[in-house]
Amino acid sequence: EDDSIVALEPRSNETLMRELARAIRRFSAERAREAWCECAMGLDRLEREFFAAPSDDRGPVVLCLRCSCVGAGPLDQHCGARCIPVHLGAEVRAQQLEGKCVDGTLTPDALHRAVENFRAHRTEAGLPHYDLDCYVAGGQVVFTWRPLPA
């Protein structure tokens, strides 16, 4: 369940570990059969194309769930009012201001934070967050979410 947390100790019961592994496999298999939207981009490319300019000089950097793309600048470049933007730039800027970025570079943590903030704001407003998630693997950042209604 979303609301339950299991605190595992270093030498947890073998039965518990087996049940946990089984639950993870079952969840993975069920999720693999569902439809998901995805937007993937190299982390280096994302930084170079969208975050290389000084933050005062660049437009907002957003992931658009409707268009399944990352872009910078005004949202009217997408579908307009139907777009669902996830603002990425503010989190990267916050990480830079907090000194958490190495040499001012983009970090996976900043992207995860942007996703979590999007989810929290949508939940507070009573709107769906489409299970938006992201992960970074092999130098790629991959955003996944449930399909939006037509």
Side-chain angles (χ1 to χ4, degrees), residues 49-124:
E49 291 186 16
F50 298 106
F51 293 105
S55 58
D56 296 338
D57 297 341
R58 68 174 175 247
V61 179
V62 298
L63 163 68
C64 179
L65 300 187
R66 178 74 58 195
C67 301
S68 298
C69 68
V70 175
L75 291 180
D76 60 4
Q77 296 174 2
H78 299 289
C79 301
R82 296 189 61 223
C83 282
I84 300 178
V86 180
H87 296 274
L88 304 175
E91 295 309 319
V92 172
R93 179 71 177 140
Q95 291 270 306
Q96 289 170 334
L97 291 173
E98 294 169 10
K100 294 182 180 178
C101 293
V102 179
D103 297 325
T105 60
L106 177 63
T107 64
D109 186 49
L111 298 174
H112 292 131
R113 201 160 152 193
V115 167
E116 289 306 314
N117 285 345
F118 171 81
R119 290 172 64 114
H121 291 289
R122 297 281 294 186
T123 299
E124 287 172 13

Side-chain angles (χ1 to χ4, degrees), residues 41-49 106 139:
M41 179 180 266
L43 193 58
D44 289 341
R45 179 177 170 219
L46 182 63
E47 181 174 4
R48 187 176 57 253
E49 291 186 16
L106 177 63

